[in-house]
């Protein structure tokens, strides 16, 4: 089961003096950073803190239930050069004791607001991606205006320091979320999903899961080396000589599905064996369909999808990229392969397809090890509270931040 959160003392209401936090996100509510921000808000509310959001309309549309009962300001724009956007953020931040951002649009807007004097509260960043050293644009201004940076993995923390941010103002805080639904197995829901997705055929195909966003850019083409490694997976699939299906969770749009089918065909995989469930707020049941969970990313900050797979008892395969090495213990809860190496990935897929006992051992060990790590919502909230107590102790003990 997930790591329990220890009690920190009596929960005081925000109006009685505890922290008022504004989280600023430019995503549409479907990304990993969005899930972490929501998990942090849920946990902090249990501790008596007030958490508000400044987000675009898409975020509200996809996370309406999670936002119910919260103060939410809808941003029409995240342009740091827009007077309207800066004014809306300034109004949303009135009365906030701390402003926390999770993605690039939010960082750019809050930095501009801070520079122009429209943001009085301390500004923190939570980084979910690896920073490319040695040059970090805006680094001098971030040292001046950003009070603290939270890094979602050790490798991100190291890249921040290498890029010029003071180590004393960087804290590693593993990205986490509520994992209880991934530990709980609903066999009835799993059977219904299996039938609905056409996986209840005989003989049962080997089911490979990949949970990742799919981004395209103006000069994108199917042969491109994709940051999330879709091309690596498809090239590896071209080497398999047995029936398989690929469950792709993340790409939400039909045009993305067609683009990925085209990419699969270019790299020799079977486009008709790709399954796209579309966007799902609760994806825990889908992990129960997977024989293996794969993340072949290039420069991955952490790989929260791998953590979810471990909680669901699914063996995981990941490129030896960035924070993935902090999640996968090679040979114990899954396997690592060299970044971009489709041949190595194919070999691991073939081995796991042929050795069901190995899959069971890796899945069981992964679940056990996850109970000893810091990837769930409780650890995320506790780590944030510890950092807050260290950086702004009065905010935790019932007084406003200066």
């Amino acid at each position: 089961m997930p790591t329990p959160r220890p009690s920190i003392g009596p929960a005081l209401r925000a109006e009685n003096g505890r922290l008022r936090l504004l989280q600023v996100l430019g995503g549409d509510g479907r990304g990993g950073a969005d899930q972490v921000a929501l998990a942090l808000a849920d946990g902090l509310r249990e501790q008596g803190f007030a958490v508000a959001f400044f987000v675009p309309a898409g975020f509200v549309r996809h996370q309406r239930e999670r936002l119910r009962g919260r103060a939410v300001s809808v941003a029409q724009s995240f342009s740091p050069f827009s007077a309207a956007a800066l004014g809306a953020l300034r109004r949303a931040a009135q009365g906030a004791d701390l402003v926390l951002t999770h993605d690039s649009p939010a960082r750019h807007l809050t930095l501009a607001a801070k520079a122009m004097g429209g943001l009085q509260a301390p500004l923190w960043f939570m980084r979910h991606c690896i920073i490319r050293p040695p040059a970090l644009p805006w680094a001098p201004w971030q040292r001046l205006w950003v009070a603290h940076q939270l890094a979602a993995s050790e490798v991100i923390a190291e890249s921040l320091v290498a890029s010029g941010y003071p180590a004393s103002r960087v804290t590693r805080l593993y990205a986490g979320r509520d994992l209880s639904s991934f530990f709980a197995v609903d066999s009835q829901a799993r059977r219904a999903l299996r039938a609905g997705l056409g996986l209840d055929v005989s003989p049962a195909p080997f089911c490979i899961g990949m949970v990742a966003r799919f981004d395209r850019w103006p000069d994108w083409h199917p042969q491109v080396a994709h940051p999330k490694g879709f091309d690596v997976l498809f090239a590896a699939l071209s080497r398999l000589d047995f029936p398989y299906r690929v469950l792709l969770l993340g790409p939400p749009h039909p045009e993305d599905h067609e683009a990925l089918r085209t990419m699969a065909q270019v790299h020799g995989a079977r486009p008709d064996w790709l399954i796209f469930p579309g966007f799902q707020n609760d994806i825990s049941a889908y992990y129960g369909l997977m024989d293996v969970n794969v993340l072949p990313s290039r420069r991955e900050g952490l790989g929260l999808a791998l953590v979810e797979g471990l909680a669901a008892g699914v063996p995981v395969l990941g490129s030896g990229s960035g924070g993935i090495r902090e999640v996968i213990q090679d040979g114990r809860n899954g396997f690592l392969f060299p970044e971009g190496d489709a041949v190595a990935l194919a070999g691991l897929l073939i081995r796991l397809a042929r050795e069901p006992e190995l899959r069971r051992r890796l899945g069981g060990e992964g679940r056990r090890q996850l109970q000893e790590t810091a990837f769930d919502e409780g650890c995320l909230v506790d780590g944030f509270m510890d950092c807050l107590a260290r950086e702004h102790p009065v905010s935790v003990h019932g007084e406003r931040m200066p």
Side-chain angles (χ1 to χ4, degrees), residues 92-394:
Q94 286 179 354
D97 300 297
L98 178 65
V99 174
L100 176 65
T101 76
H102 290 264
D103 52 35
S104 293
R107 284 193 293 272
H108 297 159
L109 180 61
T110 52
L111 275 175
K114 197 72 172 174
M116 298 177 67
L119 200 61
Q120 301 304 315
L123 176 59
W124 285 17
F125 287 172
M126 184 160 186
R127 296 279 188 169
H128 298 265
C129 297
I130 299 171
I131 311 303
R132 292 182 179 271
L136 177 62
W138 291 63
W141 311 116
Q142 291 192 30
R143 286 194 291 269
L144 178 63
W145 292 321
V146 182
H148 209 77
Q149 302 238 24
L150 303 172
S153 67
E154 290 285 359
V155 71
I156 295 174
E158 292 166 1
S159 72
L160 276 166
V161 175
S163 299
Y165 202 82
S168 61
R169 287 156 60 191
V170 175
T171 298
R172 192 270 292 150
L173 178 63
Y174 277 129
R177 62 170 300 180
D178 181 4
L179 296 172
S180 57
S181 62
F182 297 89
F183 278 86
V185 178
D186 186 337
S187 57
Q188 185 175 354
R190 184 170 55 191
R191 283 195 299 270
L193 274 179
R194 185 179 296 278
L197 295 173
L199 292 171
D200 58 344
V201 296
S202 183
F206 187 66
C207 187
I208 302 162
M210 180 172 170
V211 183
R213 70 178 187 272
F214 176 62
D215 297 322
R216 286 183 291 165
W217 45 93
D219 58 347
W220 177 89
H221 58 86
Q223 294 176 320
V224 72
H226 196 274
K228 289 294 183 180
F230 287 97
D231 55 305
V232 181
L233 174 59
F234 295 151
L237 296 177
S238 71
R239 296 175 169 270
L240 306 188
D241 59 357
F242 49 81
Y244 63 83
R245 298 294 186 272
V246 184
L247 192 58
L248 290 168
L249 287 152
H253 305 298
E255 55 267 31
D256 295 333
H257 304 167
E258 290 307 310
L260 282 166
R261 288 191 177 96
T262 301
M263 179 185 277
Q265 189 164 24
V266 165
H267 289 279
R270 288 280 300 265
D272 56 321
W273 284 356
L274 307 185
I275 300 172
F276 296 96
F279 173 70
Q280 307 288 333
N281 258 322
D282 183 4
I283 61 173
S284 55
Y286 289 87
Y287 281 90
L289 307 179
M290 300 177 189
D291 292 303
V292 62
N293 180 25
V294 179
L295 190 60
S297 298
R298 298 173 169 93
R299 295 183 63 82
E300 183 68 45
L302 177 66
L304 194 56
L306 296 174
V307 174
E308 294 169 349
L310 292 176
V314 181
V316 293
L317 303 178
S319 62
S321 169
I324 290 176
R325 295 190 301 271
E326 298 173 46
V327 177
I328 295 181
Q329 299 179 24
D330 194 34
R332 295 188 62 190
N333 59 5
F335 291 107
L336 296 168
F337 57 90
E339 181 182 312
D341 192 336
V343 175
L345 174 55
L348 291 171
L349 289 171
I350 292 169
R351 180 182 177 188
L352 287 175
R354 291 174 176 172
E355 300 183 36
E357 183 54 41
L358 175 61
R359 297 201 305 270
R360 284 190 289 271
R361 179 179 67 79
L362 292 172
E365 185 65 19
R367 271 192 163 184
R368 284 191 292 274
Q369 291 178 16
L370 193 61
Q371 298 175 41
E372 304 170 2
T373 55
F375 297 121
D376 70 1
E377 178 186 302
C379 293
L380 170 71
V381 174
D382 290 344
F384 184 83
M385 296 278 287
D386 288 345
C387 187
L388 199 62
R390 185 174 66 252
E391 299 298 318
H392 298 285
V394 295

